[in-house]
Amino acid sequence: MKERKQLKLILLGLLWFICSPAFANYILVPMDHSQTNHLKAYGITYWVLQKDIEAEWLLNFRGGSFLFKYAQDFENEMIVRGVSYEVISDAQVVGIKREIEHPESNMDIMRLDVPPKIAVYSPPSKMPWDDAVTLVLTYAEIPYDVIFDDEVIADLLPKYDWLHLHHEDFTGQYGKFFRAYGRQKWYIDNQKKFEASAHKHGFGKVSQLKLGVAKKIRDFCAGGGFLFAMCSATDTYDIALSAEGVDICDFMYDGDPADPNAQSKLNYDKTFAFKDFKLYMDPYKYEYSDIDNQYYERGLTESNDFFKLFAFSAKWDPIPTMLTQNHEQNIKGFMGQTTAFKKHLVKSDVIVLGETSEANEVRYIHGTYGKGTWTFYGGHDPEDYQHLVGEEPTDLNLHPNSPGYRLILNNILFPAAKKKKQKT
């Protein structure tokens, strides 16, 4: 009897030792509703990759969870940043991977190895609006460089893996803010700086400079770069490419009238995402074209504005699966100068990641160009329905589980992914 009791104590002690953090082999970062801070969880994973430690992205497993080897420093950092985690054993990992790899499960494992080097294309001068991507990168503690026209024209883009286009107008019309803000100091100063930059780089007009930048970005994608854009940087980018060699700017933007035949001269073959769109040539109209679905066309209000993420096959379509990882499938809509894209104006080879079918619009789209990819996300700020010029930036401490902001961060980690080889 005494020997049996001693054996039981030995077994209990051994079990405690095996299950203790010192013996545990992995950290699981759940991304379902149990996660206390989804946004910082991406930052933790990026930070682990910076330590030359591989991580695994468990696609469709508990909201797209992350898994990496246990280290005391990693656990400490989880606690500091307020990220939920689970310390699990080798045996538990084997069980999870067996579940994921089952042929009938819509799950897969994506290995993450090298953290992507990130650039944000943003003007050096302070503008009276913020940018969702820089807000969430800062909140998640993911490092990035700010670059602008000088760096792009100087061919520095190949230094980076991933490029975000800040709220930008690539048509050279300064956001078509002339009617509302043309007499504001920030607008006048901005126009002078852009004109000086264009002349410095040998361009006669700002529209020509912006087209030159757009073409450099196109080449970045062709060479294998990852492009992400939101709000007006989506449609104006394609408009600029389609209007190469055509003057679409009126006199208050470039000193002379626009080409009255500009519409007929557009070349849709040059665009990434959109086709057959019609330009809005009125210089006082706060829109560039009919790509953007207007509020009076959408028939939606803040209370019923949602878009649905599509479900993809994790084993056969890993890229769109990565880009749509979330703990929610219905995402709150949000407005911007470019809010959503009319579905019939999207090219047939574009992958639609999220749409509002009731409004016949798509909100989140993806495609390839050359060796690289691009992703366009409509709207300005996922946690501010109607963000206005001059408003205070969104405090992400109030939205640590934002499904809309998660979509941005999916794009950040996507370039780090290396698909495991398929069995033959």
Side-chain angles (χ1 to χ4, degrees):
M1 191 73 175
K2 185 177 181 182
E3 291 177 354
R4 185 178 295 178
K5 188 174 181 181
Q6 287 177 333
L7 179 61
K8 186 177 180 181
L9 289 172
I10 291 171
L11 291 173
L12 286 172
L14 182 61
L15 181 63
W16 175 86
F17 177 72
I18 290 173
C19 295
S20 68
F23 193 81
N25 289 302
Y26 287 89
I27 291 178
L28 174 71
V29 183
M31 295 296 280
D32 54 14
H33 286 90
S34 69
Q35 178 55 251
T36 55
N37 197 316
H38 287 92
L39 306 186
K40 285 190 179 290
Y42 287 91
I44 281 283
T45 305
Y46 189 97
W47 178 78
V48 168
L49 295 177
Q50 287 181 304
K51 305 293 184 182
D52 294 324
I53 302 295
E54 285 188 2
E56 290 178 307
W57 199 349
L58 309 183
L59 303 182
N60 291 345
F61 178 79
R62 296 184 62 181
S65 301
F66 301 109
L67 181 73
F68 41 83
K69 285 281 190 179
Y70 178 86
Q72 186 64 56
D73 287 348
F74 298 165
E75 183 172 15
N76 294 344
E77 195 69 21
M78 296 280 183
I79 295 169
V80 169
R81 299 196 194 188
V83 174
S84 301
Y85 66 96
E86 297 172 16
V87 177
I88 61 177
S89 67
D90 264 335
Q92 290 172 294
V93 170
V94 169
I96 289 171
K97 291 188 174 182
R98 187 179 293 123
E99 177 186 351
I100 291 172
E101 291 171 351
H102 191 282
E104 294 184 6
S105 76
N106 187 20
M107 294 183 279
D108 203 1
I109 300 170
M110 192 65 62
R111 193 180 83 247
L112 306 176
D113 49 14
V114 180
K117 189 167 185 184
I118 298 167
V120 173
Y121 175 82
S122 178
S125 56
K126 174 66 176 174
M127 303 300 287
W129 54 75
D130 51 47
D131 173 62
V133 174
T134 52
L135 284 177
V136 77
L137 286 173
T138 301
Y139 180 75
E141 301 179 54
I142 296 175
Y144 64 92
D145 292 342
V146 175
I147 64 171
F148 203 51
D149 295 334
D150 288 352
E151 290 81 6
V152 175
I153 296 298
D155 289 321
L156 298 184
L157 282 181
K159 291 173 51 180
Y160 300 95
D161 303 299
W162 191 87
L163 174 67
H164 165 57
L165 305 182
H166 179 271
H167 184 106
E168 187 56 67
D169 175 5
F170 287 94
T171 70
Q173 298 177 94
Y174 307 104
K176 296 196 80 171
F177 286 128
F178 181 78
R179 180 177 181 179
Y181 301 104
R183 291 179 175 80
Q184 296 287 324
K185 185 178 185 304
W186 67 264
Y187 181 97
I188 295 170
D189 290 346
N190 188 51
Q191 183 168 357
K192 288 178 180 178
K193 289 175 183 176
F194 274 30
E195 289 173 349
S197 179
H199 297 150
K200 179 177 73 172
H201 291 294
F203 296 98
K205 297 180 178 181
V206 172
S207 59
Q208 295 168 351
L209 167 65
K210 291 299 179 183
L211 173 62
V213 168
K215 291 166 70 176
K216 293 281 188 181
I217 294 170
R218 179 194 63 194
D219 295 344
F220 165 76
C221 287
F226 300 85
L227 175 67
F228 179 80
M230 289 185 71
C231 200
S232 62
T234 58
D235 53 349
T236 66
Y237 181 80
D238 262 12
I239 291 169
L241 291 177
S242 72
E244 181 176 2
V246 183
D247 189 350
I248 63 173
C249 302
D250 218 320
F251 71 92
M252 68 280 292
Y253 302 124
D254 67 358
D256 57 33
D259 183 341
N261 299 312
Q263 179 64 50
S264 64
K265 297 178 180 180
L266 298 183
N267 186 347
Y268 303 116
D269 292 338
K270 295 182 177 182
T271 65
F272 279 14
F274 306 114
K275 64 177 182 177
D276 303 332
F277 50 83
K278 301 296 186 291
L279 299 178
Y280 290 147
M281 299 299 291
D282 182 352
Y284 300 102
K285 185 177 180 66
Y286 182 59
E287 281 293 338
Y288 307 99
S289 75
D290 62 348
I291 294 172
D292 185 19
N293 217 16
Q294 300 295 306
Y295 70 93
Y296 53 84
E297 298 172 303
R298 304 178 70 228
L300 300 172
T301 63
E302 185 172 1
S303 63
N304 65 355
D305 190 352
F306 290 85
F307 64 96
K308 185 175 183 178
L309 296 177
F310 282 98
F312 296 90
S313 170
K315 290 180 172 62
W316 297 105
D317 295 309
I319 291 175
T321 301
M322 279 187 282
L323 297 179
T324 52
Q325 290 301 284
N326 222 304
H327 55 291
E328 300 284 356
Q329 291 304 110
N330 292 308
I331 312 297
K332 288 190 308 180
F334 51 100
M335 298 177 70
Q337 185 174 14
T338 301
T339 298
F341 318 121
K342 289 188 177 69
K343 194 170 185 178
H344 71 279
L345 299 180
V346 176
K347 290 184 173 182
S348 60
D349 61 343
V350 170
I351 299 173
V352 175
L353 303 173
E355 71 172 16
T356 306
S357 58
E358 297 84 354
N360 200 28
E361 66 184 24
V362 297
R363 296 293 304 257
Y364 185 39
I365 58 179
H366 175 77
T368 60
Y369 186 84
K371 297 179 181 179
T373 73
W374 56 266
T375 305
F376 290 171
Y377 189 14
H380 187 86
D381 185 328
E383 292 298 337
D384 187 343
Y385 186 72
Q386 190 175 5
H387 191 82
L388 302 176
V389 171
E391 283 190 7
E392 288 297 311
T394 297
D395 182 359
L396 288 180
N397 288 298
L398 304 176
H399 309 283
N401 307 106
S402 170
Y405 269 100
R406 273 199 69 179
L407 298 180
I408 298 173
L409 292 173
N410 285 339
N411 283 270
I412 295 290
L413 285 186
F414 159 52
K418 299 293 181 185
K419 185 72 172 71
K420 60 181 175 59
K421 291 183 180 180
Q422 296 282 355
K423 293 180 180 179
T424 57

